[in-house]
Amino acid sequence: MTTWQIFTSAWEWEPSIVVGCVALLVGYLAALRFRPTKAALWFAGGLLVLLLALVSPLDTLGDTYLFSAHMVQHLLLVLIVPPLLLLGIPPSLAERALQWPLAGRAERVLGQPLVAWLVGIVAIWVWHAPALYNAALNSEAIHIAEHLCFLVSATIFWWPVLMPLPGRRLAPLATLLYIVPAAMANTLLGILLAYSPLGLYPAYLSPEDTLGILPLLRDSWGLSPKADQQLAGLLMWVPGGLVYLAALLGVLARWFGSPETDEEYGEATPVDPDTAGATIAPHRRRPHVS
């Protein structure tokens, strides 16, 4: 099998994944009364990335052959999908959802920055511990639980930064103190994975080559088990860190680029519900200097 054949034929259209993504999209549109706003593009983009991460050859390679492919999948589930979904939720929809007593109580607890930070970061570290990671590779049920845990915990992590109600998001300085330690934790884990002894995840040392592509991966792609493990750590270290940096820069750019308004003098500026869901940061203003 050639590289081209891998990327054109190694798709696994798992019905539960496809139906789940379609159901999420239909439920989202129904909540909007089938009158989607521009913010819906963010939500649809998140679902598309989710679908590609779970049914594309990335999943096939990550489940059996390459730790680095599995790492890309995890980065998509943690750093790309949840922010896109959150940016796609209009404020009006979030307000209605938070009026439900159970949702409101859960948000008041899990939406606390310290709690959300710990939930997101601890989940990443715990699931990359060899015992749990290897268990996920050997059990489909545990593997599904791992992916669901990544999606839920990452959504909780990004909530204080990108929640649909801009006025309740973290202020820029608080966002800095929230994102930078997360990026450092992500970088540290990537470095540990890259420089750990070979065999941290034994399944990738001699995978069962049901597709007949192992010679291609080892010889043409140059991904020996050691190179594969180092690449996985490097992917978490560098591209993963850049996502955190991009999120921080987006918040700061939005803050410094926003015009001064009467909010500085105690008069709030109304928020357009059709566009507020796509904003990157709350309408916070720089201090006025006379």
Side-chain angles (χ1 to χ4, degrees):
M1 183 177 290
T2 65
T3 298
W4 174 253
Q5 289 173 325
I6 292 176
F7 287 105
T8 55
S9 64
W11 292 70
E12 295 186 2
W13 296 98
E14 173 61 38
S16 61
I17 296 173
V18 177
V19 171
C21 288
V22 172
L24 281 174
L25 181 60
V26 172
Y28 171 80
L29 293 175
L32 297 181
R33 299 181 177 89
F34 293 95
R35 292 181 295 179
T37 65
K38 294 179 181 179
L41 294 176
W42 292 105
F43 196 90
L47 288 180
L48 178 60
V49 175
L50 175 62
L51 182 65
L52 292 176
L54 297 178
V55 305
S56 72
L58 190 64
D59 184 68
T60 302
L61 292 173
D63 284 355
T64 306
Y65 293 95
L66 296 175
F67 179 30
S68 54
H70 211 167
M71 179 62 72
V72 173
Q73 185 184 55
H74 287 175
L75 292 176
L76 292 175
L77 296 179
V78 171
L79 298 180
I80 304 299
V81 174
L84 290 176
L85 295 180
L86 288 175
L87 288 171
I89 301 176
S92 57
L93 179 57
E95 288 175 348
R96 293 205 308 269
L98 292 176
Q99 288 175 358
W100 298 348
L102 183 59
R105 287 195 294 270
E107 194 276 334
R108 284 193 292 273
V109 175
L110 298 176
Q112 295 295 320
L114 180 58
V115 175
W117 194 95
L118 289 173
V119 168
I121 300 304
V122 169
I124 294 175
W125 276 76
V126 167
W127 278 107
H128 283 90
L132 267 182
Y133 194 99
N134 291 323
L137 291 177
N138 293 322
S139 168
E140 184 64 21
I142 298 177
H143 205 168
I144 293 173
E146 176 194 46
H147 287 172
L148 289 175
C149 183
F150 277 144
L151 287 169
V152 173
S153 63
T155 301
I156 293 171
F157 172 86
W158 288 108
W159 180 264
V161 179
L162 298 173
M163 70 172 301
L165 303 175
R168 292 173 56 184
R169 294 174 184 168
L170 287 176
L173 179 58
T175 301
L176 176 69
L177 298 176
Y178 188 88
I179 293 292
V180 170
M184 294 173 62
N186 183 83
T187 295
L188 178 58
L189 180 56
I191 292 173
L192 289 175
L193 293 174
Y195 291 101
S196 291
L198 184 62
L200 198 61
Y201 309 119
Y204 294 119
L205 295 179
S206 300
E208 183 180 354
D209 190 14
T210 56
L211 298 179
I213 63 174
L214 195 57
L216 174 70
L217 302 179
R218 296 289 190 249
D219 300 331
S220 299
W221 291 20
L223 290 176
S224 65
K226 184 63 175 179
D228 178 43
Q229 182 173 314
Q230 291 175 338
L231 177 59
L234 186 65
L235 287 168
M236 173 170 275
W237 177 0
V238 180
L242 290 176
V243 173
Y244 288 105
L245 177 61
L248 179 60
L249 291 178
V251 169
L252 295 178
R254 179 72 181 184
W255 184 55
F256 285 110
S258 57
E260 294 180 345
T261 68
D262 290 339
E263 276 186 339
E264 297 174 309
Y265 305 99
E267 297 180 18
T269 300
V271 177
D272 182 359
D274 287 340
T275 59
T279 57
I280 301 300
H283 292 282
R284 301 181 186 274
R285 307 293 180 241
R286 290 168 287 174
H288 180 72
V289 179
S290 58

